[in-house]
Amino acid sequence: MIRTLVADDHPLVRMGVCRVLASTPGIRVVGEAASVDALFELLHARECDLLLVDLHMPGSGRTDGVPMLQQLRAQWPALPVLVFTVRDHLSLIEMLSDTGVAGVVLKTAPLRELPRAIVEAHAGSRYFSPSLRAAWHARELQAETVPGRPLTQREREVFELFARGMRVSEVAQRLGRSIKAVSRQKRAAMAKLKLHSPAEAYAYARACGLA
């Protein structure tokens, strides 16, 4: 029996997930949490074999997103963690993978995918929704030439301010740089992170705890 904790701030999502898992032999939901604070309290109070957690659960004293996953990894290094998210940007998925999670399941996927993901993650495999695996494979086949180098300090400063909603002119004034330089650094940061829109930049920055 795989004792599973489910953490998501949306009651209807938790209800749907728990209903599917309750009807699956070999899986038992042993607790639910609606916030990051409640999740950590529950983990301290109850034993489980796997955690299914939403990437974004606002409204807590603790930070959600990648910082949350890093804290979980530090305190419960042997606990398999499956991330349940609507975000399907590959740069974000790569970042999540680097935290050591057992996999990523998209909320846009059928709920019947969850039992398989839980079984595979509990067995020690890493599970990613089929659409994510397909997109990852397609990107590799395209052999993109975007540099994989880390952001420079200046690029990071510009990217963080841009992801918080500031315009290029505002970033330039804030950092004391020319608009042309800031625009160039923003494009370089977006290219390195393989982000294509302000919305993607915000989602990425929020998951990193930068916005």
Side-chain angles (χ1 to χ4, degrees):
M1 186 67 66
I2 304 174
R3 299 167 299 175
T4 304
L5 287 182
V6 177
D8 195 293
D9 61 320
H10 295 94
L12 291 179
V13 173
R14 290 199 312 275
M15 183 184 303
V17 168
C18 291
R19 182 175 300 170
V20 168
L21 299 184
S23 65
T24 304
I27 297 176
R28 179 162 60 96
V29 176
V30 295
E32 300 177 42
S35 68
V36 182
D37 290 337
L39 169 60
F40 277 78
E41 290 176 6
L42 194 58
L43 284 169
H44 281 295
R46 195 164 302 175
E47 292 186 359
C48 67
D49 302 309
L50 183 138
L51 169 62
L52 177 68
V53 60
D54 186 9
L55 182 61
H56 294 306
M57 293 189 291
S60 295
R62 294 176 182 265
T63 306
D64 57 3
V66 170
M68 171 190 68
L69 298 177
Q70 292 170 334
Q71 290 179 38
L72 289 170
R73 178 81 169 173
Q75 294 188 45
W76 294 277
L79 179 65
V81 176
L82 270 176
V83 175
F84 197 40
T85 181
V86 71
R87 305 293 185 185
D88 61 355
H89 192 274
L90 290 184
S91 291
L92 175 58
I93 302 305
E94 287 178 340
M95 181 174 56
L96 295 178
S97 180
D98 289 342
T99 67
V101 297
V104 179
V105 181
L106 292 179
K107 288 187 174 183
T108 53
L111 283 176
R112 63 177 179 271
E113 185 179 318
L114 284 173
R116 177 186 173 190
I118 289 173
V119 169
E120 290 193 13
H122 181 256
S125 300
R126 301 189 81 186
Y127 183 91
F128 293 89
S129 288
S131 60
L132 288 177
R133 294 198 302 269
W136 213 315
H137 182 60
R139 190 175 71 175
E140 290 177 348
L141 290 178
Q142 289 174 358
E144 293 182 347
T145 58
V146 176
R149 300 186 306 275
L151 302 187
T152 66
Q153 179 63 33
R154 286 176 172 261
E155 289 167 352
R156 180 181 175 84
E157 290 170 348
V158 168
F159 175 75
E160 288 183 10
L161 294 175
F162 171 68
R164 292 173 187 167
M166 295 181 67
R167 296 190 297 270
V168 170
S169 57
E170 294 172 327
V171 175
Q173 184 176 11
R174 172 78 170 269
L175 298 177
R177 302 174 194 166
S178 69
I179 291 178
K180 184 177 180 180
V182 167
S183 181
R184 183 178 64 253
Q185 290 155 2
K186 185 193 93 171
R187 287 197 306 270
M190 295 280 284
K192 287 181 179 180
L193 295 173
K194 299 182 175 68
L195 302 172
H196 304 96
S197 69
E200 288 185 355
Y202 175 75
Y204 184 92
R206 184 167 182 250
C208 292
L210 300 176

